[in-house]
Amino acid sequence: MNGPRRFPEAAREALGDSQLRANLRRATHTIRDRRAAVVAEIGEWEALREAGRAIKEATMRHLDVHLEALERSVTDRGGVVHWARDAAEANATVARLVHEAGAREVVKVKSLATDEIGLNDALAAEGITAHETDLAELIVQLAHDTPSHILVPAIHRNRAEIAALFRRTLPGAQGVSDEPAALAEAARRFLRERFLGARVGVSGANFAVAQTGTVCVVESEGNGRMCTTLPEVLITVMGIEKVIPSLADLGVMLQLLPRSSTGERMNPYTSLWTGVAPDDGPQAFHLVLLDNGRTDVLADATGRQALHCIRCSACLNVCPVYERTGGHAYGDTYPGPIGAILAPQLHGMRGPTTSLPWASTLCGACADVCPVGIDIPGVLIHLRGRVVAQAARGDVPAGERLGMEAMARVFSSRRRYEAAQRLARAGARPLARGGRIEHRLPGPLAGWTMSRDLPAPPAQTFREWWRAR
């Protein structure tokens, strides 16, 4: 991730990495071709998408009711529900539960929510070691890296890079080749000991059913099932938007998600658990319901569509901007088109993520593939408007604000606008060649012409021609 940098600066650096672009192009094109093939098998795919959209929209409209129903269902079946307003509360809750279990290590299955709140670092500060068990997350952790894709966190690394990493970091893997089977075997040997020794597992959740208290995780490797069944204590950290009303709704989502994410008809592993059962799986289950800005997102009638996302990442795989910059340039847990509308809102429309609504060509490919029909381009335009409105209230550097105010005065007056045209025509004359300005403009305008040329102002505007005829 790019940390405190804005998207344009981070993207410029990423564009200079030809290996990154090659890795991304190969991976995203493979996944989106698979998706297109399995989606084409279903004649009523658009009706299924509409059903998914309707479920999410109706759920968000009565989110408080469904969350309270979920809490009752989980509690009735022996689980414990914890509410966390922000990352600090969620991290403190998980750390306390691990200490109460008498553990110093936990195994984790892929969870964007725990990445969002920085759980691993928070646990480390409490003397607790978190072992990532998803293969891609393990690669990221061993490399002291950060995820760059919602579904394939290590998509920016190729097999040769992963093999070199394993040789350096995994015990007994010094001679491992870059063949997929060999890499998987090396990871399996390393992780198996962690699974068998862990007393606490930490998971995310794809869905939680309010009707029954059932939590669902889908994955491809089986590590999630090991993580959610072997330890004595299971802690699930889930964003509050993941709740759905009924098992019938889950049936719809489980048709949409695998086809849109990995291009499969169904996920190899779909794990469902409901509370606790004697002598079967973890004997203590804790569900941490995370807000962390989501209720603020819900308050925006247009922006709340971002909460409909089921984290399939189909929008990333078709995005021309993501394909060229990768996920780190977005500077947040949630990259790509969905990150461009979700991350700024979760951060309260403050800081570097306010540049993300412009990380798009507005081509609309993301909306075409979204399985729950999120109008991502529409939300992007809406958020751009919010950023501009904030700028008008003074939440921008003084120079930029003064420049925009001056432009507003020029464009609001015909007399001033035509005077500015004449001034621009005279000023551009020394820089124009063949009707175009190909030299860098002076001063603060230099950035505009750093990588593009401009048409020179015409010798006569349309209005001047009209008056003179």
Side-chain angles (χ1 to χ4, degrees), residues 116-383:
E116 174 188 326
I117 61 178
L119 178 64
N120 287 6
D121 290 340
L123 291 179
E126 293 282 338
I128 301 167
T129 302
H131 299 289
E132 297 288 353
T133 64
D134 175 87
L135 177 57
E137 289 280 6
L138 174 65
I139 293 167
V140 168
Q141 185 176 43
L142 291 174
H144 303 288
D145 199 354
T146 52
S148 64
H149 190 279
I150 289 175
L151 185 69
V152 194
I155 196 171
H156 54 290
R157 292 183 178 272
N158 59 32
R159 286 189 300 167
E161 293 172 319
I162 295 168
L165 173 68
F166 279 12
R167 292 184 203 113
R168 292 197 309 271
T169 57
L170 285 188
Q174 284 71 24
V176 70
S177 73
D178 64 359
E179 289 300 315
L183 295 172
E185 179 62 19
R188 183 181 295 114
R189 289 179 181 278
F190 174 77
L191 290 173
R192 193 56 56 96
E193 294 182 16
R194 274 72 194 170
F195 283 127
L196 295 176
R199 298 179 61 187
V200 177
V202 177
S203 83
N206 290 100
F207 307 101
V209 181
Q211 177 188 41
T212 60
T214 303
V215 179
C216 174
V217 164
V218 297
E219 36 116 16
S220 300
E221 301 165 3
N223 295 341
R225 182 160 298 172
M226 305 265 292
C227 188
T228 56
T229 55
L230 288 178
E232 301 164 16
V233 178
L234 174 60
I235 304 169
T236 297
V237 181
M238 184 191 92
I240 56 176
E241 81 279 16
K242 296 294 186 68
V243 65
I244 54 176
S246 68
L247 287 172
D249 298 326
L250 180 62
V252 173
M253 297 301 172
L254 290 182
Q255 294 179 73
L256 290 168
L257 181 56
R259 284 181 167 82
S260 300
S261 56
T262 53
E264 296 169 300
R265 298 178 182 89
M266 65 181 295
N267 289 94
Y269 294 88
T270 300
S271 298
L272 305 172
W273 65 94
T274 305
V276 295
D279 302 323
D280 184 11
Q283 294 302 290
F285 170 55
H286 299 269
L287 178 61
V288 180
L289 294 175
L290 175 70
D291 184 331
N292 206 34
R294 285 163 174 78
T295 51
D296 292 334
V297 180
L298 194 64
D300 185 322
T302 301
R304 70 169 59 166
Q305 288 185 68
L307 298 179
H308 296 184
C309 177
I310 59 174
R311 308 289 190 268
C312 69
S313 73
C315 61
L316 278 69
N317 300 327
V318 299
C319 177
V321 176
Y322 177 87
E323 182 182 316
R324 286 156 180 80
T325 65
H328 290 162
Y330 291 79
D332 193 84
T333 302
Y334 306 103
I338 187 62
I341 63 171
L342 180 59
Q345 295 189 87
L346 290 179
H347 289 277
M349 301 302 291
R350 293 188 296 272
T353 56
T354 55
S355 63
L356 292 181
W358 280 269
S360 169
T361 63
L362 299 180
C363 67
C366 49
D368 291 341
V369 299
C370 178
V372 290
I374 301 174
D375 177 16
I376 295 177
V379 179
L380 285 168
I381 293 171
H382 169 71
L383 295 180

